[in-house]
Amino acid sequence: PAATRWCRQEDFIKRYGRLPVQVTEMFAAHGLGRPYRVELTLEEYVSYAKSNEFDWPFYVWERNFNGERRHLLEDFRPPRLGRPYRV
């Protein structure tokens, strides 16, 4: 589960660093068509986040968990209802 696999940033990046995730969308200047998906790998994003000084930084906001990104969801389990939560 994520609570053990992701407790250190180094472990997370080692496991998922090459995974591309969405950080923003850009719309065409003419306003027509679909927005352009802007992605960084998680390793690139961590590097960006460490040195970022912008007023409006990028945030990871992935909504597509198909393909390679489905592995992120495999690290989660729904909580057991009515029982104490254990990691």
Side-chain angles (χ1 to χ4, degrees):
T4 56
R5 290 183 182 166
W6 300 7
C7 54
R8 291 182 339 137
Q9 186 180 76
E10 296 82 20
D11 296 335
F12 180 75
I13 294 303
K14 186 176 181 180
R15 187 171 180 87
Y16 295 112
R18 294 185 180 156
L19 189 69
V21 292
Q22 183 169 351
V23 294
T24 193
E25 289 181 337
M26 298 179 82
F27 292 88
H30 52 67
L32 301 175
R34 299 177 108 181
Y36 175 73
R37 180 181 169 94
V38 179
E39 294 180 341
L40 294 174
T41 65
L42 285 168
E43 187 172 22
E44 292 168 333
Y45 180 77
V46 167
S47 176
Y48 160 81
K50 285 180 179 179
S51 63
N52 175 47
E53 295 182 7
F54 295 115
D55 289 338
W56 291 281
F58 288 139
Y59 293 95
V60 173
W61 56 285
E62 188 57 63
R63 57 184 168 219
N64 176 1
F65 288 95
N66 297 318
E68 291 179 86
R69 287 183 289 275
R70 80 184 182 316
H71 297 296
L72 288 168
L73 297 179
E74 292 170 359
D75 283 347
F76 288 94
R77 284 185 231 133
R80 291 179 275 172
L81 299 177
R83 298 182 186 166
Y85 178 75
R86 288 187 215 144
V87 176

